[in-house]
Amino acid sequence: DYLKTHLVLSYSSLSEYYKCNFAFYLDKVLKVNKFEDTFAIFIGNLFHHILSKLYEKDFDFETSYNEYLPNRSLTKEEEYLLINIKKEILFVINYIKIQDQNTNYTNAFTEKKVYIDKDKYGLPFLGFIDKIKYEKVDDHYNIVIVDYKTGQDKPHLDNLEDGFNLQLPIYTVLVKEILPNSFITGIYLQRILTKRKLKETDKDHEKNLKLDGYTINNENIKSSFEYDYKTY
């Protein structure tokens, strides 16, 4: 009874449950874990915040960047690190704009909140999808799902039965809640924050930003999503 009124499931909570049931119990049921607002978390949220604004008609990078900074008081060291981080965000934005010139999927939802009522699965489920790109074809939508990552996660579906690597598959279920007439072209991770190697060129660094995941095996659909996908 307690869980039915106080617990909302999400990808991260399910992942925590399958990694360690007891850790899940401490965090989600007893709520004894203390949240640490680290600089790394702040940076990840800063990237996500700016990229969520990218497709707005009046998007302005400086405005989006500056409006988020008051959310945290920074040390001198953190202010110095932000100089390079700001350059990296701009680099990511420019690369995504290049990607957007190479597709028919020109429409996008960002930071899309999807809530599924408890009556459907027994417990409520909440998810935030970083980006849904789509094209409308006749009476349905062809869509791709993109999840931004600031870590080194690898997308693979080998351990689904054990409850791991569920994020992208879960998002395919959530998308059907908001776009029931949709056909999923692909599900991907995009690593928006990776360390630059010594003497790494911009061209080499761009390779880290390529979409990494799974694409439907249909030539027409793939070429509509990415015109020159065969060169990859």
Side-chain angles (χ1 to χ4, degrees), residues 8-156:
V8 178
L9 291 181
S10 65
Y11 155 72
S12 59
S13 65
L14 280 179
S15 180
E16 185 177 359
Y17 176 81
Y18 281 108
K19 286 177 182 176
C20 179
N21 300 165
F22 187 63
F24 175 89
Y25 177 68
L26 292 175
D27 186 21
K28 303 302 180 185
V29 179
L30 298 184
K31 303 186 185 302
V32 296
N33 283 1
K34 184 179 179 181
F35 173 73
E36 283 190 66
D37 185 18
T38 65
F39 184 63
I41 291 174
F42 169 76
I43 293 304
N45 290 340
L46 174 63
F47 268 81
H48 278 79
H49 170 76
I50 293 175
L51 292 179
S52 74
K53 307 284 187 181
L54 183 58
Y55 293 94
E56 294 179 356
K57 289 183 179 180
D58 57 349
F59 171 74
D60 178 74
F61 172 76
E62 291 294 337
T63 300
S64 298
Y65 178 83
N66 290 326
E67 72 184 4
Y68 195 80
L69 292 187
N71 289 339
R72 181 185 177 90
S73 119
L74 302 169
T75 66
K76 292 295 182 183
E77 180 183 7
E78 290 171 344
E79 288 178 357
Y80 177 77
L81 290 172
L82 269 179
I83 295 173
N84 285 328
I85 289 169
K86 185 176 182 180
K87 293 178 182 177
E88 187 63 22
I89 298 174
L90 280 168
F91 184 85
V92 170
I93 288 173
N94 289 333
Y95 184 78
I96 289 176
K97 287 181 177 179
I98 293 173
Q99 287 181 317
D100 289 343
Q101 295 172 4
N102 196 37
T103 181
N104 285 333
Y105 290 54
T106 54
N107 303 295
F109 298 116
T110 59
E111 200 66 24
K112 190 67 177 176
K113 178 181 178 180
V114 186
Y115 180 82
I116 299 178
D117 189 82
K118 65 180 180 180
D119 293 337
K120 191 160 189 176
Y121 296 113
L123 284 170
F125 196 99
L126 178 65
F128 291 88
I129 304 176
D130 289 335
K131 182 162 69 176
I132 302 169
K133 298 205 71 182
Y134 65 94
E135 67 168 348
K136 194 169 188 307
V137 180
D138 299 326
D139 61 346
H140 71 279
Y141 297 90
N142 290 335
I143 68 170
V144 298
I145 299 169
V146 179
D147 186 65
Y148 297 131
K149 287 296 179 186
T150 53
Q152 297 300 314
D153 301 54
K154 290 291 291 182
H156 59 86

